[in-house]
Amino acid sequence: MADSKHLSQRPNLRAHRGRRRESRRKSSIFEEKTIDIVSPGHLVGATNHVFCMGRRFATAYQCLERSAITRHWKSVSGKRLTPRKKGSPPRRQGPSKEDLTMSLELCTDDLPPTDSLEALEKASKRIRKICTFLQSRGNVPSNLLKRNLHYIADVLDIVVTDDASTDSRKTKVQQDTKNDPSKDRFIDEDDELSEVEPDAVPMEVRDWLASTFTRSASVTKSGEKEKKTFRSIVQAVRAANLVDRMSTSAVTYPPTVMKLFKQLDDWSFDVFALNEATNGQALRYVTYEIMMRYDLLAKFKIGVGTLFNFLEALEVGYSKYQNPYHNLVHGADVTQTMHSILFQTGLVQWLTDVEIFAVVFSAAIHDFEHTGETNNFHVMSRTETALVYNDRAVQENHHISAAFRLMTDDNLNIVYNMSKDDYKDFRTLVIDMVLATDMSYHFAQVKQMKSLLSCPDNIDKAKALSLVLHTADISHPAKNWILHEHWTELLMEEFFRQGDKEQELGLPFSPLCDRKTTMVASSQIGFIDFIVQPSFEIMSDMLDKVVAPISPRGSLANQSNATISEKVEGEGSPQNGDQSEEPFEFKVDRVWDGHLTGNKVKWKELSTKDQAEKEAREKAAQKEKADSEAQTQNTPDDKAEDKKDRESSPKITANGTVSPGDAVKPSTSPENDEQASTKEEAVGKASPEHVEKRSTEGEKKGSIDSITVKSVTKRKESGV
């Protein structure tokens, strides 16, 4: 019975033991319990628990370390990490070794102070490291780049400040001091032409000078204060400029263009040869090369692609009307001439970077989209352009407006990175310079510059540069004869085309626009005497005054003059017999004077020939007219004489014999005999002098007839 009872109670025992295990499992691990006997199972469980806790602690430590590195990288790079989407490939955990190396090498925490000597060396090393990372990786985190560049800028600011304090005298020479002393009002220029003697030039040339280079009313321009700008060296090492210069590629020239560019600084540069070598792209090549020589692309952060897009659009505008003279070759020629004046005379040292950029830009756009006619033609024919600009500087206003309108496109905007103040000064100077190329302002410009040269104050830069651009625009008579003659042919052809249009519209011919009556040589002589030569003379005097203080030769001359004046003041007036040294007067090299003189001599020779041909043509025309009138009057008498001759002529009879007609017999009256004898005696008694005179007159008549035939043949061959 006992055994059976024990067996019946065994399931209850098992349930009791299970409940005990469950209660132990649910008990808190922090509850204090006393274990009398430690079994091997307890040791194994404790060991496993400690191992699991250690593994979890190691994993947590690794996660914390990774999160700290990620936070540091986010603070350096400025990037925001986003959670990985479902199905996307696993993302690389943390930064790479290259990123960590770059962040450590460009760290700005341990840099020396900016005013120490070590800072300069450290700044130069940082610039090289940034360049290395840009070349290898292509980018640098923006925050890291900003910190380093700010540090470099602070170091350079201190260097620039020190240099400016030590070289204050040099910087004062380049600064603009005072406003324009004149009232900036153009003076009436009619009295300039009144000084020209009536017999000095033909009336047609005088009319052309009056209509082209004078205006009926004076124009008032408001003078503005010239803003002083100082471009420090810090702006040359900014990050954007550095990255842009590294991303742009240099333009390679063909060998022929490279050879021609060696003479780009010369006064008589052959722009026609360059246009042929560049396949009709002279303007873009000349402008790009000049801007590269003055380092304007780096200073104003202009991309090469953007610049070439703008220059290509300029060439399209210059070629819009297919003008013989006012085309892209003329734009390239004026741009090169401005560069030659700036470089050869040293005027570039007087200008800031913004002003140099404005000078090159103004020369390149000064005839953009020129229609090939004069402003007077637009006013007389009432074109849309004349209506828009109210008959004042019609073409020049359009050149400026159309050129700046191009830069509204971001792909053509070469002044995108220019500051607001620089752009304001740049645009103001460009407008003043291009408007000054209007030929009706010529005499006003010359008079105004004469008055400025007489003042002791400094010369206004805008007016000086405007005169230089105006002179460069009409400078081809001051180049060598080959270039000047070619430009003259193109210009006269453009004038003649305007005359053809005026004839079609029923308008009177403008001066020098009639193909049949224009005398080219005489017009060029008047153009040189009254327009070109005075312009170069006043420009040369202006350059002497401006360049003398900043040129090494000019500064030495000023020092020698001051020394001489001090000696005279200290020692008193020199005694009789003492010879004082003459002060040295600084003058720029006037390379244009010789060409002007030589070209004028050649035009005078051609003018003499043209005048002889003109007189011969007039005499031939008068003779032809007299012969036609005489032929018209003698027509009835000739018919009667022909009838009498036919009646009195001998006739052949049927037998073959000739029968005499009623021929007119000579008169045998005594009166006729006496007249005949008197004429014979007069001829016999004629002196050799009279005979020689008659032969000379015959020879002259024959030579005039031969000149007439040659001139007529020449004009037929030329298509006139």
Side-chain angles (χ1 to χ4, degrees):
M1 291 291 294
D3 293 335
S4 61
K5 186 177 180 180
H6 178 72
L7 292 173
S8 62
Q9 291 179 353
R10 185 169 294 175
N12 296 332
L13 181 62
R14 291 178 179 175
H16 176 68
R17 288 178 179 174
R19 285 193 295 270
R20 287 184 63 184
R21 291 193 197 100
E22 187 72 19
S23 63
R24 289 175 183 174
R25 195 179 295 114
K26 290 182 179 180
S27 62
S28 175
I29 60 174
F30 298 104
E31 185 177 356
E32 295 182 0
K33 291 185 178 180
T34 58
I35 301 176
D36 298 335
I37 300 173
V38 179
S39 63
H42 285 91
L43 291 175
V44 172
T47 304
N48 292 335
H49 180 70
V50 171
F51 179 75
C52 291
M53 292 297 293
R55 190 170 58 184
R56 289 177 182 175
F57 179 77
T59 304
Y61 179 78
Q62 291 177 0
C63 292
L64 288 173
E65 185 180 11
R66 289 177 181 174
S67 63
I69 294 174
T70 303
R71 284 196 300 272
H72 173 70
W73 175 250
K74 285 167 62 179
S75 64
V76 170
S77 62
K79 296 181 180 179
R80 184 175 181 180
L81 300 178
T82 55
R84 184 169 62 89
K85 296 182 180 180
K86 264 188 176 181
S88 61
R91 188 171 53 199
R92 181 166 54 91
Q93 299 292 334
S96 63
K97 292 183 179 180
E98 296 178 356
D99 296 336
L100 292 175
T101 303
M102 179 172 58
S103 62
L104 292 175
E105 290 186 1
L106 298 181
C107 181
T108 57
D109 296 336
D110 299 332
L111 291 174
T114 55
D115 56 350
S116 62
L117 295 176
E118 298 176 356
L120 283 173
E121 183 180 0
K122 201 70 175 179
S124 64
K125 290 181 179 180
R126 283 301 169 94
I127 292 177
R128 293 188 179 92
K129 286 182 180 179
I130 291 172
C131 294
T132 303
F133 285 123
L134 286 173
Q135 290 177 350
S136 60
R137 295 177 52 86
N139 60 351
V140 175
S142 59
N143 292 340
L144 203 60
L145 186 63
K146 286 181 181 178
R147 293 174 188 172
N148 283 273
L149 291 178
H150 279 305
Y151 176 79
I152 296 169
D154 294 338
V155 174
L156 293 176
D157 277 332
I158 295 175
V159 175
V160 170
T161 304
D162 295 340
D163 291 342
S165 61
T166 56
D167 299 337
S168 58
R169 293 183 180 179
K170 295 182 180 179
T171 56
K172 285 181 181 179
V173 173
Q174 298 180 356
Q175 291 178 354
D176 304 322
T177 54
K178 295 183 180 180
N179 299 331
D180 184 15
S182 63
K183 298 298 182 181
D184 234 1
R185 181 177 297 273
F186 285 110
I187 307 170
D188 189 10
E189 61 274 2
D190 291 338
D191 56 344
E192 290 286 341
L193 285 179
S194 63
E195 298 176 359
V196 180
E197 298 179 0
D199 298 334
V201 292
M203 187 53 107
E204 185 181 10
V205 178
R206 181 186 176 88
D207 293 339
W208 172 68
L209 293 173
S211 62
T212 306
F213 298 95
T214 60
R215 292 175 300 153
S216 58
S218 60
V219 180
T220 304
K221 296 177 69 179
S222 58
E224 295 181 359
K225 293 183 178 179
E226 185 176 352
K227 185 164 185 177
K228 302 176 184 178
T229 59
F230 180 76
R231 195 173 185 83
S232 63
I233 195 174
V234 181
Q235 296 180 352
V237 293
R238 294 297 183 188
N241 188 13
L242 182 63
V243 175
D244 186 74
R245 290 183 66 182
M246 293 180 62
S247 62
T248 56
S249 59
V251 177
T252 56
Y253 298 138
T256 310
V257 178
M258 289 288 293
K259 185 177 180 180
L260 290 171
F261 274 162
K262 292 180 180 179
Q263 304 172 356
L264 188 63
D265 302 335
D266 296 346
W267 174 249
S268 292
F269 177 75
D270 192 355
V271 71
F272 296 106
L274 178 65
N275 190 59
E276 184 177 354
T278 57
N279 297 323
Q281 298 176 354
L283 180 60
R284 72 176 70 181
Y285 277 88
V286 167
T287 308
Y288 173 76
E289 177 64 20
I290 292 174
M291 293 183 70
M292 287 295 294
R293 293 193 180 191
Y294 292 119
D295 201 20
L296 297 178
L297 274 71
K299 292 175 181 176
F300 296 99
K301 295 178 276 188
I302 304 172
V304 176
T306 305
L307 177 60
F308 268 89
N309 291 338
F310 176 77
L311 294 177
E312 184 179 358
L314 272 188
E315 290 182 339
V316 171
Y318 269 101
S319 305
K320 185 176 182 180
Y321 297 97
Q322 299 296 321
N323 302 323
Y325 181 82
H326 290 100
N327 49 32
L328 65 91
V329 186
H330 172 67
D333 179 62
V334 174
T335 306
Q336 185 275 332
T337 303
M338 287 294 294
H339 161 68
S340 180
I341 294 174
L342 294 181
F343 181 77
Q344 297 290 352
T345 64
L347 184 63
V348 67
Q349 301 176 11
W350 188 51
L351 307 177
T352 62
D353 294 334
V354 176
E355 290 163 349
I356 296 173
F357 189 15
V359 168
V360 178
F361 184 84
S362 302
I365 71 159
H366 83 282
D367 275 331
F368 178 61
E369 291 187 353
H370 198 288
T371 60
E373 294 97 13
T374 60
N375 286 338
N376 188 46
F377 176 83
H378 282 274
V379 174
M380 296 300 294
S381 58
R382 302 177 183 178
T383 61
E384 183 66 23
T385 311
L387 295 176
V388 170
Y389 298 109
N390 300 320
D391 300 345
R392 296 293 179 88
V394 177
Q395 296 262 42
E396 289 72 23
N397 276 301
H398 177 73
H399 303 329
I400 301 167
S401 177
F404 275 96
R405 194 179 294 112
L406 285 179
M407 293 189 292
T408 56
D409 185 358
D410 292 339
N411 295 325
L412 309 177
N413 192 1
I414 61 177
V415 295
Y416 178 79
N417 294 316
M418 189 178 288
S419 64
K420 292 182 179 180
D421 293 337
D422 288 346
Y423 177 75
K424 183 180 178 182
D425 296 339
F426 171 82
R427 178 171 165 80
T428 302
L429 185 56
V430 169
I431 292 173
D432 290 342
M433 292 179 66
V434 178
L435 286 180
T437 59
D438 184 3
M439 297 302 176
S440 62
Y441 294 156
H442 168 76
F443 290 112
Q445 275 188 293
V446 172
K447 275 195 171 183
Q448 195 174 39
M449 186 54 63
K450 286 181 180 178
S451 63
L452 289 176
L453 291 175
S454 62
C455 298
D457 298 331
N458 288 346
I459 300 173
D460 181 62
K461 283 187 176 180
K463 292 175 179 56
L465 296 175
S466 299
L467 177 63
V468 175
L469 180 60
H470 169 59
T471 308
D473 192 19
I474 58 175
S475 63
H476 68 85
K479 303 291 181 70
N480 63 43
W481 172 253
I482 298 175
L483 296 175
H484 171 46
E485 187 181 22
H486 194 179
W487 282 120
T488 303
E489 292 174 356
L490 297 174
L491 180 60
M492 297 310 298
E493 176 59 28
E494 190 167 298
F495 281 169
F496 294 155
R497 290 186 183 183
Q498 178 178 327
D500 297 340
K501 293 180 181 179
E502 290 171 341
Q503 191 174 10
E504 292 176 0
L505 296 174
L507 298 174
F509 283 111
S510 297
L512 304 183
C513 292
D514 190 356
R515 293 180 182 270
K516 299 179 181 179
T517 61
T518 300
M519 299 181 64
V520 178
S522 299
S523 66
Q524 289 302 309
I525 293 173
F527 182 52
I528 293 174
D529 284 338
F530 302 106
I531 303 299
V532 180
Q533 197 161 7
S535 299
F536 273 95
E537 288 176 357
I538 194 68
M539 185 191 73
S540 302
D541 296 339
M542 181 269 296
L543 292 174
D544 292 341
K545 185 173 182 180
V546 168
V547 180
I550 58 178
S551 175
R553 290 187 301 162
S555 60
L556 292 175
N558 294 335
Q559 292 177 5
S560 63
N561 292 341
T563 306
I564 293 172
S565 61
E566 289 175 359
K567 288 182 179 180
V568 171
E569 291 178 359
E571 299 176 0
S573 59
Q575 298 178 0
N576 296 332
D578 296 341
Q579 295 180 355
S580 60
E581 297 180 0
E582 295 182 358
F584 174 76
E585 185 179 0
F586 175 81
K587 286 188 177 181
V588 296
D589 188 12
R590 291 165 167 79
V591 294
W592 41 79
D593 287 346
H595 295 299
L596 279 172
T597 305
N599 292 338
K600 191 164 66 170
V601 170
K602 291 185 179 180
W603 283 123
K604 286 183 178 179
E605 295 175 357
L606 294 176
S607 177
T608 304
K609 294 180 181 180
D610 292 344
Q611 191 67 27
E613 291 180 1
K614 183 180 179 181
E615 292 176 357
R617 288 195 299 269
E618 290 177 354
K619 289 182 179 180
Q622 292 176 1
K623 182 181 178 181
E624 185 179 355
K625 185 178 179 181
D627 293 343
S628 61
E629 291 178 355
Q631 186 177 3
T632 304
Q633 293 175 359
N634 298 332
T635 300
D637 298 336
D638 294 340
K639 290 182 179 179
E641 290 179 0
D642 292 339
K643 186 177 180 181
K644 291 180 180 180
D645 292 339
R646 286 195 299 270
E647 292 176 353
S648 61
S649 60
K651 297 179 181 179
I652 301 175
T653 61
N655 298 329
T657 60
V658 179
S659 63
D662 299 333
V664 179
K665 297 180 181 180
S667 176
T668 56
S669 62
E671 296 178 356
N672 293 337
D673 294 339
E674 291 178 0
Q675 291 178 0
S677 61
T678 305
K679 289 182 179 179
E680 291 177 359
E681 291 178 0
V683 172
K685 294 180 180 179
S687 62
E689 297 176 357
H690 290 269
V691 176
E692 185 179 356
K693 184 177 181 181
R694 289 175 184 176
S695 62
T696 306
E697 290 177 356
E699 291 177 358
K700 287 184 177 179
K701 184 177 180 181
S703 62
I704 292 174
D705 293 338
S706 63
I707 292 173
T708 305
V709 172
K710 289 181 182 179
S711 61
V712 172
T713 306
K714 186 177 180 181
R715 290 173 61 84
K716 285 183 178 180
E717 291 175 356
S718 60
V720 180

